[in-house]
Amino acid sequence: MQPAGALNPDPLLQRYLDFVRHEKRLAARSVSLYRENLLLLQALSTESAIPLLQVQTAHVRRWIAALHARGRSARGLALVLSSWRGFYRWLVNSRQISHNPVQDVHAPKAGRPLPKALPVDAAMQLADYQAPSTDGEQPDWQQLRDALIVELLYGCGLRVAELVGLDAAAGSQARGWLDLQEGQAHVLGKGSKRRSVPLGRQAQLAAQAWLQQRAQLPAAQHEPALLIGRTGKRLSAASVWQRLRTRAQQAGLETPVHPHMLRHSYASHLLQSSGDLRAVQELLGHANISTTQVYTRLDFQHLARIYDAAHPRAHKKPD
């Protein structure tokens, strides 16, 4: 097949490109992408000796399958099909053909990437990390705050938006707060849905230590947020990302850690231990259990690695 970039557009394709440029007023970048994808269509139809006006759905399916086999991504194929579909829709509307051969052709589904989770040992290493003290000094206020951040992300599975939305005390205006007496975190999740998750013993201890320190910070006196920065204002999600990455490096972790990775670790480790998918769904605040089921794939990968490393049949060579 001749490279699409070396072709000149068929007059029919050129008229359509003029149409999307002048009539539909598409941006120059969009027109350029249309041109690239339509030249690909022209190259495939020429190679198959099928005129553009005689292309059928079976041809389109075969070409898309071939492109997929050559390594085109699902997203890239979706863009290709969108360009082709628009071209043939224009031909139908201008009564040059009777039906659109691309209308019912869809790109392959993109594989859903697995969320990244830390191994249990690495997560515990991060949670247990304490900065070296000098001359018997107590941990500074940032260390106490960051320890609580890790406990709430890994120990409670909070989203970063839920974390930074927590207030230091319950109130009518509070989006979320910690109830240390009941051992619960009350958060406002996606879709403005409230949920409560249990606070583990370590999270409660970290919260008590931070609240005692926070009460002594002059800048925090008029700020309702539980987690504050140097200026005394509510900590931002970006700051949480930065502080977490710094803490992970200090703790000796090789993997860059971000807030959602700790939420994934929370879910994966819970599922490995309990196997209770419904309970994990409720704790995470997922509206649909299919969202939670991705962690069963993580769990299977964990079991597969154990099998590959330990089971004698995994290492048996074929005769």
Side-chain angles (χ1 to χ4, degrees):
M1 181 176 68
Q2 186 177 0
L7 297 174
N8 290 318
D10 181 275
L12 196 60
L13 294 182
Q14 188 58 59
R15 290 206 302 274
Y16 175 66
L17 290 171
D18 292 339
F19 167 77
V20 297
R21 180 184 293 110
H22 301 300
E23 300 294 329
K24 298 189 69 174
R25 297 183 181 277
L26 294 187
R29 172 60 178 163
S30 297
V31 174
S32 178
L33 288 174
Y34 269 58
R35 185 180 189 276
E36 179 182 339
N37 292 334
L38 291 171
L39 285 176
L40 175 61
L41 171 65
Q42 179 179 324
L44 290 165
S45 67
T46 300
E47 181 185 37
S48 302
I50 301 168
L52 289 171
L53 293 177
Q54 297 178 23
V55 169
Q56 301 298 312
T57 299
H59 302 137
V60 176
R61 293 188 191 280
R62 185 169 69 246
W63 295 337
I64 289 298
L67 292 171
H68 188 47
R70 295 174 194 170
R72 286 284 183 117
S73 69
R75 183 175 181 275
L77 291 175
L79 293 173
V80 167
L81 283 170
S82 177
S83 300
W84 295 2
R85 195 174 293 116
F87 168 62
Y88 281 104
R89 185 184 303 118
W90 173 74
L91 290 177
V92 170
N93 291 339
S94 59
R95 299 184 178 181
Q96 299 182 67
I97 58 175
S98 60
H99 72 284
N100 187 337
V102 194
Q103 187 60 44
D104 296 322
V105 182
H106 303 285
K109 287 187 177 181
R112 187 174 182 179
L114 286 176
K116 293 183 179 180
L118 290 171
V120 174
D121 289 347
M124 295 295 289
Q125 182 179 336
L126 178 64
D128 292 337
Y129 171 74
Q130 294 183 354
S133 58
T134 57
D135 300 327
E137 291 183 358
Q138 296 295 318
D140 66 18
W141 67 271
Q142 284 184 311
Q143 291 292 338
L144 293 173
R145 181 203 61 194
D146 293 353
L148 177 58
I149 287 174
V150 173
E151 290 295 343
L152 293 176
L153 292 172
Y154 175 58
C156 299
L158 300 192
R159 300 178 177 94
V160 67
E162 296 168 346
L163 174 76
V164 299
L166 291 171
D167 282 350
S172 60
Q173 301 299 318
R175 293 170 55 192
W177 65 92
L178 304 182
D179 186 338
L180 298 185
Q181 287 188 335
E182 295 294 329
Q184 292 183 331
H186 303 283
V187 299
L188 188 65
K190 283 186 176 180
S192 297
K193 294 180 180 179
R194 292 196 174 276
R195 78 179 191 283
S196 299
V197 295
L199 283 174
R201 176 63 177 162
Q202 294 303 317
Q204 292 183 53
L205 291 174
Q208 289 170 356
W210 164 242
L211 286 169
Q212 290 174 3
Q213 181 65 55
R214 184 187 180 284
Q216 302 174 28
L217 299 175
Q221 301 309 311
H222 303 291
E223 173 56 58
L226 173 66
L227 302 172
I228 59 173
R230 290 183 179 275
T231 62
K233 300 298 182 183
R234 187 181 296 271
L235 203 65
S236 68
S239 296
V240 172
W241 276 69
Q242 182 181 12
R243 294 300 303 173
L244 194 56
R245 178 159 294 197
T246 298
R247 184 181 176 88
Q249 291 174 341
Q250 292 172 342
L253 271 66
E254 296 181 359
T255 304
V257 177
H258 55 78
H260 223 60
M261 182 182 288
L262 292 186
R263 177 172 159 87
H264 293 324
S265 302
Y266 166 85
S268 178
H269 299 167
L270 268 181
L271 195 57
Q272 287 175 19
S273 300
S274 70
D276 193 333
L277 191 63
R278 287 290 181 183
V280 174
Q281 176 193 5
E282 185 173 344
L283 290 168
L284 291 172
H286 286 161
N288 194 318
I289 199 168
S290 63
T291 309
T292 317
Q293 283 174 328
V294 68
Y295 295 104
T296 64
R297 295 164 62 196
L298 277 176
D299 190 38
F300 178 80
Q301 284 194 341
H302 169 74
L303 295 175
R305 285 195 296 269
I306 292 176
Y307 174 84
D308 288 341
H311 199 285
R313 299 293 289 180
H315 302 288
K316 180 176 172 55
K317 295 181 179 180
D319 295 333

